[in-house]
Amino acid sequence: MSTTIPTPADVFRRQAHPLIAPGPHDPAADGPFRALYERGITGSRMIRNTKLVALTLASHADWATGRIPQDVQPYLAGLVQETALTTGQVVVSLQILEDRGWISRPSRRVRWDDAPIGLTIPAPILRRLRKAHRQD
């Protein structure tokens, strides 16, 4: 039985799976964004430090929309202080969260010291959370 190994061109041609939510969040149908976010984070297989950083970010967010207002953005220094983790641990956790689609910043060129952070939910997780919410 022969198997084919994909070439880099084959991988490039594959359609990317969207990481951001599959449609706008509807609090009436989906429930509060922050509740979905926290349920998704606590149910994930990420390490404790990363979950701690994510939940600390969520504590600053609006319950219904999940947006973190500019005046309460914790930035890197605030996250280090609130979580009692080292700066390196927080930076690694933020990078993991961004790579997996749990947070966003305006540009990857903006350092975590100055970047306003937004909460996002990866599309496959949001679909699963929506389905579970509707069954409750």
Side-chain angles (χ1 to χ4, degrees):
M1 174 175 211
S2 72
T3 59
T4 58
I5 299 173
T7 66
D10 294 334
V11 174
F12 179 75
R13 280 192 290 267
R14 288 183 190 158
Q15 187 171 1
H17 298 293
L19 286 178
I20 305 300
H25 173 254
D26 179 14
D30 300 335
F33 184 90
R34 192 169 132 193
L36 290 173
Y37 185 85
E38 291 174 357
R39 191 176 311 143
I41 289 292
T42 56
S44 72
R45 293 183 180 156
M46 290 185 281
I47 61 172
R48 289 180 294 196
N49 290 352
T50 305
K51 286 183 181 184
L52 175 62
V53 170
L55 293 173
T56 302
L57 281 169
S59 72
H60 292 276
D62 179 68
W63 181 254
T65 64
R67 290 190 176 86
I68 303 174
Q70 187 65 32
D71 59 330
V72 294
Q73 279 284 339
Y75 299 106
L76 181 60
L79 289 171
V80 168
Q81 183 179 13
E82 291 178 33
T83 60
L85 298 172
T86 66
T87 303
Q89 289 172 318
V90 172
V91 168
V92 168
S93 294
L94 288 170
Q95 195 59 51
I96 290 169
L97 290 167
E98 185 180 41
D99 291 344
R100 294 185 181 184
W102 288 101
I103 61 172
S104 65
R105 58 182 161 165
S107 169
R108 286 183 163 248
R109 293 180 185 208
V110 179
R111 297 175 56 93
W112 291 114
D113 299 353
D114 306 321
I117 300 170
L119 303 182
T120 59
I121 301 175
I125 306 295
L126 183 58
R127 283 191 282 274
R128 188 187 67 200
L129 291 171
R130 281 179 173 170
K131 186 176 179 181
H133 177 73
R134 289 185 182 124
Q135 291 176 352
D136 288 344

